Structures are given as C-alpha cells and as structure tokens.
C-alpha cells in the first residue's frame, strides 16, 4: 500500500467529531479556512449543480451568531420552558469555537433533492477530513434552531440551512470511532 493511501485511510478512520467544550482558545486563520472550503467544493455533484452554500463566522461574526441562536432559542420556547442556562450554553458553544460555518444548500431543481443533500454532505465530509488533517476538530450540528436562521443567513426560497459546522483546535487524543463490524452492513455477491 502506498504511503499516501495509508495517510488517507488513517485520516478517515481517525477523524472524530470534536465538540466546542474541548476546543482550545486559538483562532483559525482565514487562509486555512479558505483551504478547507476549497476542499469542500471538490465533492462530487450530479450535473455540477454545486448546491453547497457556506456562511463562515469568525471573530465578531461568532458573537452575532451566538446572539442570534440564543434569540431563536428564546423565541422557540414558552416563557415557562425557557432556561437561561440553556440559552447561555447555546451561546457559549459558538464563542468557544475557532470558527462556525453554516452549511446551506441551494436546490437547483435539475436533480432530486436527495442528490443535492448527498453532494452537500460529501462536501462537509471533505471539509471535516481536511480540518482533521490540520488538527482542527469539527462537528456537524443539526440542532432544530437551524430552521429559524433563514433570514439571518439571507437564504432565498430554494435555499435551506442543514446545520452548523463547529470548528476548533483541540487537545483530544486520536481515537477510532465506535462502529458495527462491516459484516453487519455489507452483503457480498461473489
Ligand atoms: C448530518 C449530521 C448531523 C449531526 N448532528 C449532530 C447534532 O446535532 N449533535 C451532535 O452532538 N452530533 C451531531 N452529529 C455528529 C454525530 O453525533 C457524530 O458524527 C457521531 O456521534 C459519530 O461520531 P464521529 O463523528 O466521531 O465518528 C451529526 C452528524 C451528521 C452527519
């Protein structure tokens, strides 16, 4: 097996979701974010629709996003159910991140929606792997609050937000993910 293959396989196997509580206080340079986004957009895309749209939050931008999410959380629950602690924790997760990218999708109408979703998910995985190679941890959050961000993200009718991609440098140890053996998931026809 060539050296490159080993590196890619290890990168894939050892990529893990890393959460904001484990991020260290270190900003992610813009040139690195640009590189990660360039990796994202190399994902396969049927009919070259390139449905991915990204909004990148860094620095002061993180404060705007944190405030918006807290506001949307407050608006989404009744006065009785509102938890100040939860509102603060939503805000804190954003502020603990080196960058957060809103993962969005623009439907072209040329292919089924699931194909656009699959392309965006492939782009996100590219980005997660490229980040992992830079020792930047990340995770895809699909909190239901993402459904309330259309106007904040200036999304048009055929656009939607699929999640928030949290990123940060961290000191977590490398680990393999828990997965069922492939025998349970694979049928061989030989
Ligand atoms: C589409 C998608 C949405 C996800 N949403 C969340 C989420 O809202 N909250 C969360 O804690 N993890 C979320 N995750 C991350 C998973 O929890 C994580 O991938 C899983 O636990 C496996 O861990 P690993 O990424 O380290 O292999 C999401 C992952 C994907 C692919």
């Amino acid at each position: 097996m060539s050296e490159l293959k080993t590196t890619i396989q290890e990168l894939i196997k050892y990529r893990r979701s890393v959460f904001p509580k484990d991020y260290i206080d270190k900003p992610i340079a813009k040139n690195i974010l640009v590189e990660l986004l360039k990796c994202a957009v190399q994902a396969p895309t049927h009919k070259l629709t390139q449905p991915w749209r990204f909004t990148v939050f860094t620095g002061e931008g993180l404060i705007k996003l944190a405030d918006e999410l807290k506001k949307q959380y407050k608006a989404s629950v009744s006065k009785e159910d509102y938890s100040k602690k939860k509102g603060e924790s939503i805000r804190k997760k954003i502020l603990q991140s080196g960058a957060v990218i809103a993962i969005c999708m623009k439907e072209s109408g040329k292919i089924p929606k699931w194909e656009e979703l699959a392309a965006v998910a492939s782009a996100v995985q590219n980005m997660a792997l490229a980040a992992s190679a830079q020792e930047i941890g990340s995770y895809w959050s699909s909190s239901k609050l993402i459904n309330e961000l259309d106007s904040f993200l200036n999304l048009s009718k055929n656009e939607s937000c699929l999640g928030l991609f949290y990123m940060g440098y961290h000191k977590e140890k490398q680990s393999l993910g828990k997965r069922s053996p492939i025998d349970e998931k694979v049928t061989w026809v030989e």
Side-chain angles (χ1 to χ4, degrees), residues 73-86:
Y73 161 64
K74 199 170 182 181
S76 72
V77 289
S78 65
K79 243 184 178 176
E80 300 77 61
D81 289 340
Y82 177 71
S83 150
K84 200 173 172 198
K85 204 173 154 195
K86 182 157 184 204

Side-chain angles (χ1 to χ4, degrees), residues 15-19 139-143 162 177 179:
R15 177 217 53 83
R16 291 277 71 79
S17 291
V18 185
F19 301 93
Y139 96 102
W140 181 338
S141 162
S142 50
S143 145
L162 306 180
R179 297 293 191 269

Side-chain angles (χ1 to χ4, degrees), residues 116-135:
E116 311 275 33
L117 281 166
V120 175
S122 305
V124 173
Q125 181 68 356
N126 276 3
M127 193 154 64
L129 290 170
S132 186
Q134 300 272 351
E135 298 181 332

Side-chain angles (χ1 to χ4, degrees), residues 137-149:
S138 66
Y139 96 102
W140 181 338
S141 162
S142 50
S143 145
K144 59 180 184 213
L145 291 177
I146 59 174
N147 299 318
E148 313 302 329
L149 297 179

